[in-house]
Amino acid sequence: MRQRVTATVGVLALIGLVFALNLYQLPVVALSPGPMEDVLARLKVEGSRVYDSEGKLYLTSVGVDDDVRFYEALLDMANRDVQLLPRAQLYPDNEDSTEIDKENVALMDRSKETATVVALRKVGYDIEPSGVEVTQVVSGAPADGKLLAGDKILRADGHAVSSIEQVRKAINGHRAGERVAFRVDRGRTQKDVSVPVQEADNQPRVGILLRDLFPDLPVKVSITTQNNIGGPSAGLMFTLSIIDKLTPEDLTAGRRIAGTGEIELDGSVLPVGGVAEKLIAVRRLGVTTFFIPAGNCAGVRGQVPHGLRLVKVSKIDDALRFLRDPKAAATAPGC
């Protein structure tokens, strides 16, 4: 009888432990291959003639599970297509998943705007910024508590500014310990703010991130994505798709091409996260060509699916050369 009670208690304790472990949320996130979308099919243009394409240009994404339980983690570790990362790497302690999602939506919108500007410039439009906005103030930096995210910088050291380049020029004209005089528009009220300069990476800095603002563009472009895709990583494929729509030449030439990469206003293509998972999704769909930022090459060595060709790009012109010139496509560098 005593042994039977002991055994029963042991079973109940084991059941309780299993139940508790199943409820325990681990401080990790699981990355997996996400959905792909043909940007050309999601793109609408107003104010310009558009041209059809026979092929497809796919954006790629990563699925993120931020509610990983103990037994799910065991299954994920056994799945070669899933990568577990520390939760803090994607979700800082002071931000919850809702805030991160909002930031990713904002980054996606900004990526679309940047892609539109870069594409319009590539097809011949002369587009210059009309203003500059503070997007982030680095905690503990000289500008912390003086400038705020959302401030529009109107003047720097008494000179009117309308671009990031002009603001940087004003800051670079100072030595560490000197001050930059800003006039900003904050909630429709103009304020004068003096910010000391400090040296970082051998350059004068005040600790702000900026973005160029643009007037109403001559061509209106809208891109409607599905599957709750966010972040800046579709910028390269947005840009190529807009250029393809606005030019008589079919850049795809009937091909199905995928890619990833954040686009900058100067046409640079920056590395992004989750590329290994994107490669898996691409190969599953049967796509055999993938544009990859040069900065991501080292991170995917040994993880490229068989039969998938990577085409390394550092700037938008690298991708355009591949699409337009068969000889360049044949010899384009990979990773």
Side-chain angles (χ1 to χ4, degrees):
M1 180 68 177
R2 187 173 180 180
Q3 290 181 341
R4 187 177 302 171
V5 171
T6 302
T8 302
V9 171
V11 170
L12 291 175
L14 180 61
I15 293 173
L17 177 61
V18 170
F19 185 74
L21 287 174
N22 194 47
L23 291 178
Y24 179 60
Q25 180 181 1
L26 297 175
V28 299
V29 293
L31 304 185
S32 60
M36 297 170 52
E37 296 186 22
D38 175 23
V39 181
L40 291 170
R42 301 288 177 190
L43 193 156
K44 293 184 179 180
V45 176
E46 297 178 20
S48 175
R49 181 178 177 180
V50 296
Y51 301 87
D52 292 331
S53 303
E54 292 187 7
K56 298 180 185 297
L57 294 172
Y58 292 102
L59 66 80
T60 52
S61 66
V62 178
V64 180
D65 181 3
D66 66 340
D67 186 18
V68 181
R69 306 292 165 160
F70 180 80
Y71 290 106
E72 291 174 335
L74 293 179
L75 294 174
D76 289 338
M77 286 188 290
N79 187 341
R80 294 172 55 187
D81 294 349
V82 178
Q83 180 183 11
L84 293 177
L85 293 177
R87 182 181 177 83
Q89 193 167 321
L90 269 69
Y91 298 96
D93 292 338
N94 60 340
E95 291 185 293
D96 61 24
S97 58
T98 301
E99 292 174 320
I100 295 294
D101 289 343
K102 288 181 180 179
E103 290 178 9
N104 281 330
V105 169
L107 288 170
M108 170 69 88
D109 290 341
R110 195 174 305 160
S111 177
K112 293 175 182 177
E113 179 187 61
T114 302
T116 301
V117 172
V118 174
L120 291 180
R121 286 174 171 172
K122 283 297 178 184
V123 300
Y125 288 92
D126 183 15
I127 300 172
E128 297 297 332
S130 59
V132 59
E133 180 184 67
V134 177
T135 59
Q136 183 180 341
V137 180
V138 178
S139 178
D144 191 9
K146 298 177 177 63
L147 293 174
L148 303 176
D151 283 350
K152 295 177 176 60
I153 300 179
L154 306 177
R155 306 181 74 84
D157 289 335
H159 300 285
V161 293
S162 58
S163 70
I164 292 175
E165 182 180 355
Q166 292 172 334
V167 175
R168 285 176 178 164
K169 183 178 180 180
I171 296 172
N172 289 337
H174 291 272
R175 297 177 180 178
E178 296 179 347
R179 289 179 170 267
V180 185
F182 293 109
R183 173 166 290 181
V184 302
D185 182 340
R186 183 179 297 167
R188 298 184 180 179
T189 300
Q190 293 190 11
K191 294 181 177 293
D192 291 318
V193 182
S194 177
V195 181
V197 173
Q198 71 177 15
E199 187 173 303
D201 298 326
N202 297 318
Q203 295 289 331
R205 296 282 187 264
V206 297
I208 53 177
L209 299 182
L210 304 169
R211 77 173 179 120
D212 284 319
L213 302 175
F214 291 90
D216 291 338
L217 298 176
V219 176
K220 183 178 179 181
V221 176
S222 60
I223 307 171
T224 305
T225 57
Q226 294 182 329
N227 300 299
N228 297 318
I229 296 174
S233 67
L236 170 63
M237 302 312 290
F238 286 158
T239 308
L240 293 174
S241 298
I242 296 168
I243 294 172
D244 194 32
K245 277 289 185 183
L246 296 178
T247 51
E249 176 188 13
D250 181 359
L251 294 180
T252 70
R255 295 168 291 187
R256 300 164 68 223
I257 297 174
T260 192
E262 181 179 353
I263 194 75
E264 292 277 87
L265 283 169
D266 64 358
S268 299
V269 179
L270 304 183
V272 296
V275 176
E277 287 73 30
K278 294 175 182 180
L279 296 182
I280 295 169
V282 168
R283 197 66 191 96
R284 284 178 179 172
L285 196 64
V287 176
T288 57
T289 303
F290 185 88
F291 287 134
I292 182 171
N296 282 121
C297 277
V300 298
R301 284 175 185 152
Q303 303 180 64
V304 182
H306 178 72
L308 179 62
R309 180 188 181 188
L310 302 188
V311 178
K312 181 171 63 175
V313 295
S314 298
K315 50 188 181 297
I316 189 69
D317 289 339
D318 297 332
L320 289 172
R321 192 176 302 112
F322 177 93
L323 294 172
R324 287 172 169 159
D325 184 352
K327 291 183 179 179
T331 59
C335 290

